[in-house]
Amino acid sequence: ILLKMLARVCSRHVYGSVRQMSNISNVETIIDSQSGIATVKMSQPPVNSLDKNLLTSITDTFKNLEKDSSISGVLLTSKFDGRVFSSGLNITDMFQQSDGHLAEFWSCVQEWYLTLYGFGKPLVSAINGHSPAGGCAMALMSDYRVMEKQKSIGLNETQLGIVAPFFFADLMIATVGRRIAEIGLNMGKLYSSEEALTIGLVDEVTDLESVVPNATKTLLKLTKIPQPAYKLSKQVQRNSPMETLRNDRAGDVALFVNIIQTSNVQAAIGGYLKALKQKKK
Ligand code: CO8
């Protein structure tokens, strides 16, 4: 009987957003009912590349957690401990696709950004592996970042022959300041964890074993701040880029589709994908 009761309590607290969307379990959510901390673990093999399914699962999970009054804060991390936090947007979703596919994909990217950056509760990233491009942007949507040592992070889009959208660039500028962001964005720089700490792209760098404990420690501190004030403070600082996007989502989608369908951009993405595959050999 006790086990049954426990199972009932636990199942109440596991959001199967993926189960609602599809049969693939690509996001695990574990709730500590005592502290109200939810750990959201991206679990899409092999590298948490953000395709439509994973973007939607993450977005839905955060929407549910926002609504749930028993949740005090969220820790975002990856199942692929010591390897990769997220490899960024799924490149194959941008290669040789129809306009319709690209538009749908980008709409999911917009919703994911608006949901995570607009999240009204404390959100800390435990970056337990590499975190390029969209992976870096996702970490920048949180309020505090703890990263594993000797990994890489940055908005490296120009190295793929594409450009970070304005709302990714804004995340970088808001975190490290305009000049450092400009250098990083134009050069498509991937920083080591240690360099990222120096420029303020992440807040702490530590051994893999300490990434989640340290992130949790800070998250608990953030949950103790009077929450209406915490939420409002985030809103005041973040509202402007989100409003810009909300006011013209269709225009932003059209811009994305136009850029991606340019023949030299397609050639660059194709070349990058090929190089990724060849790296293995
Ligand atoms: N999308 C799709 N597939 C990917 C991606 C990705 N982002 N990253 C890796 N993969 C694939 C690899 O090709 C490989 O496939 P396969 O097994 O079929 O050969 C598989 O995932 C495993 O990858 P690795 O063997 O490389 O795994 P490692 O653990 O050795 O390395 C890394 C992990 C470091 C994350 C490495 O995979 C990597 O560097 N990936 C590329 C990361 C990257 O540059 N991402 C950029 C994405 S673009 C983006 O996020 C923003 C775009 C904004 C567009 C705006 C336009 C206007």
Side-chain angles (χ1 to χ4, degrees):
I1 290 169
L2 258 176
L3 277 176
K4 268 188 189 162
M5 282 169 67
L6 193 65
R8 215 173 296 141
V9 170
C10 289
S11 69
R12 228 170 20 112
H13 284 298
V14 176
Y15 290 113
S17 66
V18 184
R19 263 176 273 148
Q20 290 160 24
M21 301 296 303
S22 71
N23 290 324
I24 313 158
S25 173
N26 51 9
V27 173
E28 293 167 20
T29 305
I30 304 144
I31 312 269
D32 180 319
S33 48
Q34 217 175 0
S35 62
I37 298 287
T39 300
V40 173
K41 208 179 260 194
M42 296 172 282
S43 317
Q44 178 158 283
V47 288
N48 284 330
S49 71
L50 297 155
D51 60 6
K52 210 179 111 192
N53 276 341
L54 184 55
L55 286 165
T56 307
S57 297
I58 297 171
T59 303
D60 288 352
T61 300
F62 273 83
K63 283 183 176 171
N64 285 332
L65 293 170
E66 178 94 63
K67 279 187 274 181
D68 188 335
S69 59
S70 73
I71 299 302
S72 57
V74 177
L75 188 117
L76 178 63
T77 193
S78 156
K79 186 179 180 180
F80 310 114
D81 231 8
R83 205 162 60 80
V84 63
F85 177 73
S86 163
S87 72
L89 301 189
N90 187 40
I91 303 168
T92 53
D93 271 308
M94 294 180 273
F95 186 56
Q96 295 181 338
Q97 300 291 352
S98 67
D99 287 3
H101 178 98
L102 290 172
E104 212 181 312
F105 174 65
W106 200 249
S107 174
C108 291
V109 171
Q110 292 176 338
E111 197 61 28
W112 159 78
Y113 161 75
L114 291 170
T115 306
L116 266 65
Y117 201 42
F119 192 61
K121 298 177 186 183
L123 166 58
V124 172
S125 283
I127 311 166
N128 51 350
H130 296 294
S131 196
C136 171
M138 182 157 51
L140 291 174
M141 292 170 206
S142 56
D143 312 345
Y144 192 85
R145 286 160 285 282
V146 180
M147 187 169 183
E148 182 193 350
K149 65 182 191 187
Q150 292 171 4
K151 290 290 184 270
S152 60
I153 186 166
L155 294 179
N156 58 321
E157 280 82 351
T158 57
Q159 295 289 344
L160 283 74
I162 50 181
V163 187
F166 82 89
F167 48 94
F168 281 18
D170 172 81
L171 291 166
M172 184 86 162
I173 293 165
T175 310
V176 300
R178 183 166 289 280
R179 181 61 187 145
I180 293 173
E182 190 176 329
I183 294 169
L185 285 159
N186 291 351
M187 293 174 69
K189 256 172 105 68
L190 272 182
Y191 301 91
S192 68
S193 312
E194 292 70 21
E195 290 169 330
L197 181 66
T198 310
I199 62 167
L201 190 59
V202 299
D203 301 297
E204 279 181 51
V205 169
T206 182
D207 290 340
L208 176 60
E209 307 79 72
S210 305
V211 172
V212 168
N214 287 13
T216 308
K217 206 165 137 189
T218 296
L219 181 57
L220 281 169
K221 270 191 209 158
L222 300 183
T223 63
K224 302 284 182 290
I225 295 163
Q227 285 310 300
Y230 191 86
K231 182 176 179 173
L232 201 58
S233 176
K234 280 177 75 165
Q235 265 171 10
V236 166
Q237 296 168 78
R238 296 180 175 189
N239 211 28
S240 164
M242 290 196 290
E243 265 316 287
T244 307
L245 180 60
R246 273 194 207 103
N247 288 339
D248 190 16
R249 284 185 65 162
D252 184 61
V253 166
L255 182 67
F256 169 75
V257 174
N258 270 333
I259 293 173
I260 294 296
Q261 294 294 37
T262 313
S263 59
N264 59 348
V265 170
Q266 279 298 302
I269 297 175
Y272 189 81
L273 261 176
K274 207 169 153 192
L276 253 185
K277 305 268 176 215
Q278 270 166 1
K279 182 197 78 173
K280 250 185 173 172
K281 295 171 193 161

